[in-house]
Amino acid sequence: MTPDVLLVIFAGLLGLLVGSFSNVLIWRLPRGENIAFPPSHCPNCDHRLGVADLVPVFSWLSLGGKCRYCKSPIKARYPVVELLTGIGYAAIAALFPPLTVGWGALGLMVLFTLLLVGSAIDLDTYTIPDELTLPGVALGVLFGFLNGQAGVEGLPDLAGAVQGALLGAGVVVAINQFGSWVLRRFRERSFPEFPIGYQQISLGLLAGAWLGPWWGAGVGLLSTLVNVAARRVIRIPELLTLGGLLVSVMLGSAGYGPGMILMVQGALAAAGAVSLACGVYWWLHWRRHREDDGATDDTQVDASAMGFGDVKLAAVIGAFLGWERLLLALVVAVFAGAIFGVVQLATRSENRVKFGPFLALGAVVALLWGGALIGGYREMLGL
């Protein structure tokens, strides 16, 4: 066998092992448990699992899908996650040969695991843990740096990873902002977050359109400092920020300012930067509150409105894949979600599925076939 074939087989076996650890993350992260201690145990009887109980896929099959000690059923999701990870890792190694791509192949495997774990948790709890997405953005930027150092083609370098992360977060949060504004019939939010929240994101959108991404993000964060100094929320009307952005884009299309395309890019990147700053702040703030007070349900501090896990997941995808494949992932996610919605209406199903799993599906399509699809689209347009 050739070295590339051996690496594909090795990647598949590695995926099975990582899939087993992914099941640990899927179970423990939503519960706030340590992912390393205590060692693996049955969630029903708490009996510590032996080596023979931890062989990916085969242990579940040999035990008939039941715990060896208490005979309680073990979800079929466990071997499914392991198999999917093994297949996914092998496919990545085949399409992105590690001997050629180097660190880039490992980065894509990390992304695949983040997507699978995030989707499984989202299906269970309708949330995507910040412990998964925020470090995931940092890892995407790190692998972008390594790609740039190694001269890897087809994957983003450091600048591309940062741009992809900001635009990923910015696109999804902008959709959220305008969608929420319309659903509220253009009324203001009743309880803006302190000191940083959706108001600062909207301000970043407007400022970024005229000043560019970094100055736009700076204006949004300056508003946060104003709130801190005033010890209260200084309201910024959405009619001014979101409405102003719409007017700005129309002016850009008419030839004023930097131009419509640059204005949209600046607005989205600035909003993405402020969104990630929001995510980090509220994550750390909630963790500190939970550790200090032992709180488990405090909407004032947890600020569930600031959770927007899909925004941070889009930033992860953009950081690892770049902005072009990110846009492809969004298109696939929207179409998949629409098809699922039609099926639900036809079958009168009441099962609710959030956007995260569809976004992850779109990212996998963009990861595995994005190069060919984007290349074909450019050829069709003569680019």
Side-chain angles (χ1 to χ4, degrees), residues 34 43 100 132 134 145 156 288 290-291 351 371:
N34 190 299
T100 303
L132 200 68
L134 292 175
F145 170 77
R288 183 171 65 250
R290 182 181 64 181
E291 292 170 358
N351 293 330

Side-chain angles (χ1 to χ4, degrees), residues 285-305:
H285 190 75
W286 177 75
R287 283 174 63 87
R288 183 171 65 250
H289 176 80
R290 182 181 64 181
E291 292 170 358
D292 291 345
D293 299 337
T296 57
D297 184 17
D298 190 328
T299 55
Q300 293 296 324
V301 176
D302 189 10
S304 58

